[in-house]
């Protein structure tokens, strides 16, 4: 039995009680984690300095400048800054559904 724990516009996190694994779907990415692996993944995502990598990789020809290292040599998942923000919201279980809805409805607007 799989239960969806959290959802955003482009992804969800579920937990399978049969295999005791967390499943994370985000865009065209899909991950399966044990509890320890999921905690490590969350820590890793929250440790990424998106602005730093945007600046560091600004001269690269590809559009997405933020790279997630994968456990296969030479394989990376690339993100836009907004995608990194959404992925962080997805893995942050301290946010309420109302806070997520508010963030989603305001994410494309400049409040300045």
């Amino acid at each position: 039995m799989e239960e969806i724990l959290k959802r955003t516009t482009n992804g969800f996190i579920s937990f399978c009680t049969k295999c005791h694994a967390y499943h994370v779907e985000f865009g065209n990415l899909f991950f399966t984690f044990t509890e320890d692996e999921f905690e490590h993944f969350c820590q890793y995502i929250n440790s990424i300095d998106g602005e730093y990598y945007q600046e560091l990789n600004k001269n690269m020809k590809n559009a997405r400048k933020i790279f997630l290292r994968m456990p296969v040599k030479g394989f990376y998942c690339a993100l836009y800054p907004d995608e990194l923000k959404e992925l962080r919201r997805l893995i942050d279980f301290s946010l309420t559904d109302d806070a997520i809805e508010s963030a989603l409805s305001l994410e494309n607007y400049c409040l300045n």
Side-chain angles (χ1 to χ4, degrees):
M1 181 78 178
E2 196 160 354
E3 176 187 357
I4 293 185
L5 304 175
K6 192 151 178 204
R7 181 183 298 275
T8 63
T9 302
N10 295 299
F12 70 87
I13 298 173
S14 63
F15 183 77
C16 178
T17 55
K18 279 188 174 182
C19 63
H20 303 285
Y22 287 90
H23 297 147
V24 178
E25 181 178 301
F26 187 74
N28 65 345
L29 306 174
F30 185 83
F31 304 98
T32 299
F33 298 115
T34 64
E35 186 171 347
D36 287 342
E37 291 168 337
F38 181 68
E39 288 177 20
H40 180 75
F41 176 75
C42 293
Q43 290 171 357
Y44 171 61
I45 295 303
N46 285 317
S47 74
I48 296 169
D49 184 344
E51 289 180 20
Y52 170 79
Y53 287 106
Q54 278 289 116
E55 180 63 25
L56 180 70
N57 299 320
K58 68 182 177 186
N59 294 322
M60 294 182 78
K61 299 297 180 206
N62 50 300
R64 290 175 170 91
K65 309 289 187 198
I66 303 167
F67 298 96
L68 306 181
R69 287 190 196 139
M70 295 293 114
V72 176
K73 184 178 178 182
F75 179 69
Y76 298 88
C77 295
L79 300 174
Y80 288 115
D82 286 346
E83 291 171 327
L84 179 59
K85 288 177 190 173
E86 182 180 345
L87 183 54
R88 284 184 174 146
R89 282 195 310 274
L90 180 63
I91 63 172
D92 184 353
F93 285 92
S94 69
L95 292 175
T96 64
D97 288 342
D98 290 339
I100 292 169
E101 285 300 317
S102 175
L104 291 174
S105 66
L106 297 176
E107 68 185 356
N108 294 319
Y109 297 96
C110 178
L111 299 178
N112 294 324

